[in-house]
């Protein structure tokens, strides 16, 4: 069986009819859950790339098959695990089996434990920040889609009833404008990301800058982030916090106001979800 191209989110629920491979560390914390293997009878082979799960993916961006392996600069994998003991559990239907494996340092490159842990912490901080950013973009696109569907439904089913539909449509247009402005400051939808060098024709936006911050963290071995890398990640995290604050404020003000107006006029409301925050990284020295 070929190597899996990407790991699933640690919180992803196993899919029916699939073989699920779960890796946990010595403390029992989840490292990665991979439910991409088909549930076919017989002998199968799965390869763990010795990394944590990657960040939450963009649901509205589809990459061509195999692009992650062919283009290493589109980083989707999580940080490399530190040497130590891990438990691999394979679940197929109601059957489950676990084995303990030991990850050892590269015999040539070596590496100090402090270097591994510093690199892991920085990698997980980037991964969690990237997940929060991608979740925010996914939620913005979802809200935009819901608004379009609501506006179309009102035009089709409430023709002439401007007293009821007018306030909903006006608030919907205003909210859609604010969502687009926020999304466009984060992500350039005009870039054809499967078109090779298409992105060189556009200036980087925040999503590009945060994603590129992983390059220095991913390719070293047992190397703590340099002072320049650490400062860059800190600056990006501060900028991300500002964007998250804007989005969360929209949820609590404009989205809440739209839903109130829509509910009063028996129009569909928006499913917006809870405010987004970056998950804290907790690493206990081994």
């Amino acid at each position: 069986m070929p190597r899996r191209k990407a790991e699933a989110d640690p919180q992803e629920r196993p899919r029916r009819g699939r073989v699920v491979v779960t890796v946990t560390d010595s403390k029992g914390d989840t490292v990665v859950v991979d439910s991409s293997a088909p549930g076919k009878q017989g002998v199968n082979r799965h390869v763990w790339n010795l990394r944590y799960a990657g960040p939450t993916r963009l649901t509205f961006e589809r990459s061509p098959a195999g692009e992650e392996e062919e283009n290493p600069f589109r980083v989707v994998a999580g940080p490399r695990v530190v040497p130590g003991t891990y438990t691999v559990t394979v679940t197929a239907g109601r059957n489950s089996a676990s084995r303990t494996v030991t990850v050892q340092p590269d015999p040539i490159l070596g590496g100090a434990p402090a270097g591994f842990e510093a690199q892991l912490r920085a990698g997980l901080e980037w991964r969690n920040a990237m997940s929060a950013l991608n979740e925010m973009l996914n939620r913005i696109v979802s809200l935009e889609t819901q608004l379009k569907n609501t506006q179309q439904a009102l035009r089709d089913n409430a023709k002439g009833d401007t007293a009821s539909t007018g306030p909903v449509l006006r608030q919907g247009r205003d909210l859609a404008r604010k969502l687009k402005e926020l999304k466009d400051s984060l992500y350039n939808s005009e870039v054809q990301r499967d078109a090779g060098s298409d992105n060189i024709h556009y200036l980087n936006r925040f999503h590009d800058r945060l994603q590129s911050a992983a390059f220095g963290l991913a390719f070293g071995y047992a190397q703590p982030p340099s002072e320049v890398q650490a400062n860059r990640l800190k600056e990006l995290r501060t900028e991300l916090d500002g964007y998250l604050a804007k989005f969360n404020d929209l949820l609590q003000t404009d989205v809440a106001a739209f839903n109130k107006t829509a509910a009063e006029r028996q129009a569909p409301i928006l499913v917006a979800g809870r405010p987004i925050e970056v998950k804290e990284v907790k690493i206990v020295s081994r």
Side-chain angles (χ1 to χ4, degrees):
M1 179 175 292
R3 177 174 177 167
R4 301 291 159 246
K5 293 183 173 60
E7 295 83 5
D9 189 287
Q11 304 300 322
E12 180 181 343
R13 293 183 178 180
R15 290 178 289 179
R16 182 177 300 177
R18 299 281 178 167
V19 173
V20 182
V21 179
T22 304
V23 180
T24 55
D25 62 18
S26 59
K27 303 188 295 297
D29 294 333
T30 300
V31 173
V32 64
V33 176
D34 190 339
S35 60
S36 61
K40 295 182 179 180
Q41 187 176 13
V43 178
N44 297 278
R45 182 169 180 254
H46 174 82
V47 178
W48 174 35
N49 63 359
L50 303 184
R51 289 181 177 273
Y52 279 75
T56 298
R57 289 175 175 245
L58 295 174
T59 55
F60 57 89
E61 178 187 287
R62 302 296 180 186
S63 299
E67 183 179 346
E68 288 86 2
E69 291 187 353
E70 296 174 3
N71 186 356
F73 295 100
R74 290 186 60 77
V75 179
V76 295
R80 184 182 291 108
V81 299
V82 302
T85 302
Y86 297 85
T87 300
V88 180
T89 301
V90 179
T91 302
R94 298 181 179 180
N95 299 316
S96 182
S98 298
R99 292 291 185 272
T100 299
V101 299
T102 301
V103 177
Q104 298 181 343
D106 187 292
I108 298 176
L109 298 177
F116 280 109
E117 292 188 2
Q119 185 179 37
L120 174 60
R121 176 178 293 277
L124 289 176
E125 288 175 349
W126 169 83
R127 193 273 306 270
N128 291 358
M130 199 74 204
S131 289
L133 173 58
N134 285 349
E135 181 183 355
M136 175 167 50
L137 284 166
N138 288 338
R139 299 260 292 274
I140 289 174
V141 171
S142 174
L143 287 168
E144 288 180 325
T145 301
Q146 292 180 68
L147 281 169
K148 290 178 182 177
N149 292 338
T150 295
Q151 292 167 345
Q152 188 62 48
L154 290 176
R155 295 189 186 99
D156 292 343
N157 302 306
K159 296 178 180 179
D161 188 6
T162 57
S164 295
T165 63
V168 179
L169 291 173
R170 284 194 297 273
Q171 283 187 261
R173 286 192 295 268
D174 186 56
L175 175 56
R177 176 182 57 79
K178 293 180 180 180
L179 289 169
K180 184 178 186 305
E181 288 175 354
L182 178 56
K183 183 181 70 174
D184 289 347
S185 66
L186 299 169
Y187 182 88
N188 191 344
S189 301
E190 295 180 2
V191 175
Q192 300 180 53
R193 299 172 194 276
D194 59 348
S197 60
D198 189 54
N199 59 349
I200 67 175
H201 302 294
Y202 298 87
L203 295 176
N204 284 346
R205 298 193 185 174
F206 183 74
H207 187 273
D208 304 306
R209 298 198 300 273
L210 182 58
Q211 183 164 276
S212 65
F215 297 160
L217 303 175
F219 294 127
Y221 187 80
Q223 295 180 6
S226 66
E227 183 178 357
V228 172
Q229 290 172 334
N231 288 337
R232 179 59 173 163
L233 190 59
K234 184 177 180 180
E235 292 172 358
L236 290 169
R237 174 58 195 277
T238 299
E239 194 172 351
L240 173 62
D241 288 343
Y243 286 123
L244 289 175
K246 290 181 180 179
F247 177 75
N248 291 335
D249 183 64
L250 277 177
L251 294 183
Q252 296 170 358
T253 56
D254 294 69
V255 173
F258 175 88
N259 281 346
K260 182 176 182 297
T261 301
E264 291 172 347
R265 289 159 175 79
Q266 298 182 333
I269 64 172
L270 303 175
V271 180
R274 297 181 177 181
I276 300 173
E277 60 182 13
V278 180
K279 293 182 179 180
E280 182 181 357
V281 173
K282 296 182 180 179
I283 298 178
V284 180
S285 299
R286 298 169 183 265

